[in-house]
Amino acid sequence: MLSRCELANAIRALSMDAVEKANSGHPGAPMGMADIAEVLWNDFLRHNPANPHWVDRDRFIMSNGHGSMLLYSILHLTGYDLSMDEIKRFRQLHSKTPGHPEYGCAPGIETTTGPLGQGLANAVGMAIAEKNLTAEFNRDEFDIVNHYTYVSVGDGCLMEGISHEAASLAGTLKLGKLICIYDSNQVSIDGDVRGWFTDDTAKRFEAYHWHVVRNVDGHDPVQIKKALRKARKVTDKPSFICCNTIIGRGAPNKQGKASCHGAPLGKDEIVLARKQIGWQYGPFVIPDEYYAAWNARKRGKRIEKQWNTKFQAYKQKYPELAAEFERRMHMQLPAAWETTTSAFISKCAEKSGNIASRKASQNTIEAYAPVLPELIGGSADLTGSNLTTWSGSKVINGSGDYGNYLYYGVREFGMTAINSGIALHGGYIPYGGTFLMFSEYARNALRMAALMKLRNILVFTHDSIGLGEDGPTHQAVEQAATLRLMPNMSVWRPCDAIETAVAWKSAIEKKTGPTSLLLSRQNLKHILRTDEQINNVQRGAYILIEGTKTPDLIIIATGSEVELALNVCQQLNGQGHHIRLVSMPSTDVFDAQDNTYREMVLPSVCRKRIAVEAGIPDYWRKYVGLDGKVLGVNTFGESAPAGDVYKHFGLTETGLMEMVKSLL
């Protein structure tokens, strides 16, 4: 019978071989964490390699994602569909084993990690989802949602500020099914971290109201198992296990040193490492007895079968709850979705009166949320400004009761990454609010949501210089453009209540990436439209005012500047000109339309075009061409009442009129 150390050595061997073959990678963390991983995966983790998407599986997230070969080795050994050929193709083009774990690339990867600390925040989101689903769906005799979220972190993860944001909130919410394993090897790329990282990490997490297990020998399976058992017994706090490890353990000349952190060990060192750990097999050779000891398919099949039996009994006793649970875990929208959204959009079209699009957004949430119980919202300490609550909002707190709203506090980065974790877990559609300017704090989490193609909805209010007196520190100028440049990110900047309602509908229906809703502080004019125009809002851009079929000039506007463009267009057409106004609330949605529709809206024969937006002009040049112009903001904003700021930058009817006439 193989010892635990021998089983862990299979991870060490695969990791150093794969990194060596790729001539690239991080062997240190996998070799240092191998003993921890062996105990966790073989003694505790409930999962089924044959069904990586089983809803009640335990989740394991490797926040220190540079050590990806640890995870790939485990997935291969335990029986996931990750072949030895893929291990050999580590870090190669189109392999299932990229340099950092990528969600959707290989089975068993719960989230994309690499930018340090974000995996911890994702794990907090998963634990929030698990706890909330437990309160919503479990009944006394049926715990159909009952799993743990395990996350490993390294020294680098805990240096990142997002670790503070996420861990602080996790403690407040008393996430007892969240267990964090700290791989404390005291080494990062620059060397011994004690030159720049001397925090008392255990005290820090105790201050966050976590249960902390100190001074665990990360190479002693008995201590590791005891620590995990302790953590699982504490149900009113998340747990933090401090494991002292040696980076690159087993490599005699490089273990404990930065030289094994992010570079291959080298052939000579690997020969010595094999001798030191007693690994007598060649590169990428795993004997059958190791596979047999690691294989988790039989156990996984058994525990999933037990859960299925339980769920069938639950289904018989609580058929409506079971149907709702299945609908949500399969990301299906409710039967009443289309009728609800269509009725509300029609209602918006009939209403008159001017409101800010942030208020229109709140009205939309109020209309959609009653038929969408999976909608979980929140705000980074700006609820009253973002208007992200509705009449049915119930606060999620440490009580364990069901809720659908999170007060995130001033944690924009943490909020966005946590919401990605909620989306990854399943069962909920998360949205989070802050000012558009503070999307900068959340930037990397936005990028990760887009990279993973997650349905994470961002409510960004105070979207331009229109917020006025708070000045350039709060006035978004370049943010809309940079969000539009992000692959898989959909961006909507609606001009009134109708476009806002459609934008929300699009965001909820989109399953291939996040959506940013850019919303105004100031009131916007209610615009009357035909049924055809209302229907075309969902296509990202449409003709709002038509001069003739062949216009003399086209004005493209978005958000709060549509009203400005509308007034100028009507004046010019009244003077005998033929000006077309195109409202373009979503450039990416418009770009995805067929050529016929795009040519109909923006005919190539009309080269005289002007784009209007209270932001940097450069993005719009792809629509106006070399012959066109853009009326925008080339610098940072100014502190003054909104009307004065618009005048200062020439975003007025007079300014637009002069630009139009310069082209006619």
Side-chain angles (χ1 to χ4, degrees):
M1 184 176 178
L2 295 169
S3 68
R4 287 192 178 277
C5 182
E6 288 174 310
L7 293 176
N9 285 339
I11 296 174
R12 292 187 172 98
L14 280 177
S15 297
M16 63 185 181
D17 287 344
V19 172
E20 186 67 26
K21 188 174 188 301
N23 195 29
S24 171
H26 299 75
M31 296 177 74
M33 290 184 63
D35 301 299
I36 298 168
E38 188 278 322
V39 174
L40 175 63
W41 282 73
N42 284 329
D43 287 12
F44 293 95
L45 207 73
R46 294 173 67 253
H47 63 112
N48 183 5
N51 183 11
H53 302 294
W54 172 41
V55 297
D56 202 37
R57 69 191 181 279
D58 289 341
R59 273 71 169 171
F60 174 74
I61 298 94
M62 192 171 188
S63 186
N64 45 342
H66 55 271
S68 58
M69 266 311 304
L70 174 83
L71 188 50
Y72 298 147
S73 298
I74 294 170
L75 295 174
H76 170 73
L77 291 167
T78 55
Y80 285 79
D81 184 17
L82 192 65
S83 68
M84 184 63 83
D85 285 341
E86 293 294 343
I87 299 294
K88 292 178 180 178
R89 295 181 63 226
F90 177 56
R91 287 188 164 225
Q92 304 308 300
L93 186 64
H94 303 315
S95 75
K96 293 183 179 180
T97 51
H100 292 80
E102 294 183 24
Y103 176 69
C105 195
I109 305 297
E110 299 287 359
T111 182
T112 299
T113 56
L116 295 178
Q118 286 199 61
L120 173 58
N122 292 162
V124 171
M126 293 179 191
I128 289 171
E130 190 276 339
K131 186 174 182 179
N132 212 52
L133 285 168
T134 295
E136 191 173 1
F137 286 99
N138 283 4
R139 294 298 179 264
D140 289 341
E141 69 276 39
F142 293 109
D143 56 344
I144 63 164
V145 182
N146 183 16
H147 54 265
Y148 285 85
T149 301
Y150 298 94
V151 56
S152 69
V153 300
D155 297 300
C157 289
L158 299 183
M159 291 183 220
E160 290 284 0
I162 192 173
S163 70
H164 162 77
E165 294 184 27
S168 173
L169 186 62
T172 298
L173 296 179
K174 301 180 180 179
L175 301 177
K177 303 291 274 298
L178 173 64
I179 297 176
C180 181
I181 301 168
Y182 172 27
D183 173 38
S184 178
N185 59 41
Q186 301 291 299
V187 172
S188 67
I189 293 174
D190 279 350
D192 189 328
V193 301
R194 283 167 289 197
W196 49 86
F197 184 56
T198 58
D199 303 13
D200 189 329
T201 304
K203 283 185 178 179
R204 172 184 163 192
F205 274 78
E206 286 174 346
Y208 294 144
H209 307 295
W210 286 55
H211 164 240
V212 176
V213 183
R214 298 167 176 255
N215 297 319
V216 176
D217 183 343
H219 303 298
D220 183 342
V222 174
Q223 288 192 34
I224 296 165
K225 189 171 184 177
K226 184 178 179 181
L228 284 165
R229 281 177 171 168
K230 279 184 179 180
R232 286 164 59 94
K233 287 180 181 178
V234 176
T235 59
D236 62 343
K237 294 180 179 181
S239 289
F240 187 79
I241 302 174
C242 301
C243 290
N244 299 314
T245 63
I246 300 171
I247 190 171
R249 182 177 172 89
N253 297 309
K254 293 191 175 183
Q255 66 179 20
K257 300 176 181 177
S259 58
C260 71
H261 173 92
L265 296 179
K267 292 180 180 179
D268 293 342
E269 185 71 6
I270 287 177
V271 170
L272 295 175
R274 275 182 153 75
K275 183 177 180 181
Q276 177 148 320
I277 67 176
W279 192 259
Q280 303 173 17
Y281 315 103
F284 301 105
V285 174
I286 304 293
D288 290 343
E289 59 181 322
Y290 282 82
Y291 279 121
W294 269 103
N295 196 302
R297 280 181 167 253
K298 184 176 180 180
R299 179 172 174 267
K301 182 179 180 180
R302 185 184 79 250
I303 60 176
E304 184 178 354
K305 184 179 179 181
Q306 291 170 348
W307 184 88
N308 287 336
T309 300
K310 184 196 306 182
F311 188 74
Q312 287 304 312
Y314 176 84
K315 201 171 185 177
Q316 288 182 353
K317 187 163 185 180
Y318 303 104
E320 292 182 1
L321 273 177
E324 176 67 6
F325 181 77
E326 288 181 312
R327 176 188 73 78
R328 285 163 55 173
M329 297 309 292
H330 287 98
M331 297 177 68
Q332 297 170 346
L333 290 172
W337 175 248
E338 281 299 330
T339 55
T340 299
T341 54
S342 295
F344 181 69
I345 292 168
S346 296
K347 182 180 178 182
C348 289
E350 296 169 1
K351 291 182 70 174
S352 59
N354 304 335
I355 59 172
S357 53
R358 62 171 174 159
K359 180 59 180 176
S361 170
Q362 185 178 47
N363 293 344
T364 303
I365 297 170
E366 186 74 40
Y368 293 173
V371 299
L372 205 65
E374 58 263 50
L375 198 62
I376 281 189
S379 173
D381 202 49
L382 289 168
T383 293
S385 294
N386 300 148
L387 303 183
T388 39
T389 52
W390 62 290
S391 63
S393 291
K394 298 177 182 177
V395 178
I396 296 173
N397 52 39
S399 69
D401 296 332
Y402 163 74
N404 59 12
Y405 194 80
L406 281 157
Y407 286 103
Y408 275 105
V410 187
R411 301 182 178 102
E412 296 88 356
F413 193 4
M415 172 183 71
T416 309
I418 287 169
N419 277 352
S420 286
I422 293 172
L424 284 160
H425 181 280
Y428 294 107
I429 300 173
Y431 68 92
T434 186
F435 290 172
L436 177 56
M437 185 65 247
F438 302 139
S439 65
E440 297 294 343
Y441 281 130
R443 178 66 57 169
N444 201 257
L446 294 171
R447 186 176 186 272
M448 294 293 280
L451 182 60
M452 289 188 275
K453 300 181 179 180
L454 300 180
R455 184 165 46 177
N456 187 346
I457 301 173
L458 302 316
V459 179
F460 292 134
T461 69
H462 297 59
D463 68 337
S464 71
I465 58 173
L467 69 86
E469 291 88 344
D470 277 334
T473 61
H474 285 54
Q475 291 170 7
V477 176
E478 74 274 25
Q479 284 66 37
T482 57
L483 287 170
R484 290 177 181 130
L485 292 172
M486 193 176 291
N488 303 326
M489 173 67 75
S490 192
V491 179
W492 286 81
R493 189 165 182 255
C495 75
D496 67 357
I498 295 174
E499 289 189 358
T500 304
V502 174
W504 261 104
K505 183 176 187 289
S506 175
I508 289 167
E509 292 176 352
K510 185 182 180 188
K511 299 179 182 179
T512 56
T515 299
S516 292
L517 304 175
L518 315 188
L519 308 170
S520 73
R521 177 198 185 195
Q522 69 272 36
N523 287 342
L524 304 179
K525 179 180 180 179
H526 176 77
I527 300 173
L528 297 174
R529 296 172 180 82
T530 65
D531 290 342
E532 181 181 9
Q533 288 173 322
I534 294 171
N535 187 58
N536 284 337
V537 173
Q538 65 184 329
R539 306 187 77 164
Y542 61 100
I543 300 169
L544 189 57
I545 296 291
E546 183 66 288
T548 63
K549 290 185 178 179
T550 306
D552 298 330
L553 181 142
I554 299 173
I555 300 176
I556 307 167
T558 183
S560 49
E561 287 68 66
V562 170
E563 179 181 348
L564 163 64
L566 177 67
N567 293 338
V568 170
C569 191
Q570 288 174 335
Q571 291 178 48
L572 288 168
N573 286 341
Q575 296 169 9
H577 296 287
H578 303 293
I579 310 298
R580 172 180 293 182
L581 173 59
V582 172
S583 177
M584 191 177 287
S586 178
T587 59
D588 60 280
V589 173
F590 175 69
D591 290 346
Q593 302 304 306
D594 59 79
N595 289 335
T596 301
Y597 182 77
R598 285 187 282 122
E599 178 66 21
M600 186 270 290
V601 175
L602 295 176
S604 53
V605 294
C606 183
R607 296 173 63 87
K608 294 180 179 180
R609 302 178 183 181
I610 293 175
V612 188
E613 184 173 62
I616 62 168
D618 290 358
Y619 180 84
W620 291 99
R621 301 199 189 280
K622 72 183 219 177
Y623 297 107
V624 301
L626 296 176
D627 297 332
K629 294 186 177 182
V630 182
L631 182 59
V633 180
N634 283 300
T635 67
F636 295 116
E638 295 286 346
S639 178
D644 293 342
V645 179
Y646 268 82
K647 289 178 183 177
H648 171 77
F649 286 105
L651 281 159
T652 61
E653 292 182 21
T654 300
L656 180 55
M657 188 77 75
E658 290 176 356
M659 186 173 282
V660 171
K661 289 182 176 179
S662 72
L663 290 179
L664 289 176

